[in-house]
Amino acid sequence: MLRGFRDFIARGNVLDLAVAVIIGAAFATIAGSLTEDIIMPIIGALFGGLDFSSHFVMLGPVPDGYAGSLTDYAALKKAGAPVLGWGQFLTVVVNFLILAFIVFLIVRWAERLMRREPAAAAGPTEIELLAEIRDELRLRK
């Protein structure tokens, strides 16, 4: 059983998948930072300084003993207040769309690289080859 598991793990596909997952997680971090730190602030500036991740709707009362700000989504959520975080959801959707678009561009670029045919090796053309064959046949007669 242990040997079978070792053989399974040692297969190229499993190792390739592991590398892909690790690189994908790192790429998601980069895409998240791109969205959170660059794109969302620009969108917020265009719409009057909005920070979408802090927009929410209170669905119930604030828990007893909560002394934080009533406009701090993260603190309210941590305290267990019932909040509908539509701004955070919007941020996640924008993150996804940006990540999907980046992956689309990478796949498109990779497909273009794969479609390029290597330059044909310099050599005689078909006509030149046929002429050689004809001349060789004439010599044999």
Side-chain angles (χ1 to χ4, degrees):
M1 167 98 74
L2 208 49
R3 181 179 174 161
F5 180 70
R6 186 192 71 207
D7 292 343
F8 172 74
I9 293 298
R11 284 186 192 164
N13 294 344
V14 174
L15 295 175
D16 292 343
L17 179 61
V19 169
V21 167
I22 292 168
I23 290 176
F27 185 72
T29 304
I30 292 170
S33 177
L34 172 68
T35 304
E36 293 290 327
D37 302 329
I38 296 174
I39 293 174
M40 289 308 284
I42 292 170
I43 291 173
L46 291 174
F47 291 101
L50 295 176
D51 177 13
F52 293 112
S53 63
S54 64
H55 288 260
F56 62 93
V57 174
M58 290 291 297
L59 297 176
V62 176
D64 293 335
Y66 177 74
S69 171
L70 294 177
T71 59
D72 187 352
Y73 172 71
L76 284 166
K77 187 175 177 182
K78 186 176 180 181
V83 290
L84 178 71
W86 66 268
Q88 182 63 29
F89 177 74
L90 180 62
T91 300
V92 170
V93 169
V94 170
N95 283 350
F96 170 77
L97 292 174
I98 290 168
L99 180 61
F101 184 70
I102 291 170
V103 169
F104 166 74
L105 291 177
I106 290 171
V107 168
R108 197 167 135 196
W109 173 73
E111 285 176 348
R112 285 184 182 166
L113 284 179
M114 289 180 189
R115 266 189 267 152
R116 289 187 185 165
E117 294 180 21
T125 64
E126 288 180 30
I127 295 174
E128 291 170 336
L129 289 173
L130 290 172
E132 284 182 34
I133 292 170
R134 180 198 63 207
D135 294 343
E136 189 66 33
L137 289 173
R138 281 186 185 160
L139 290 174
R140 290 187 182 181
K141 283 186 179 180

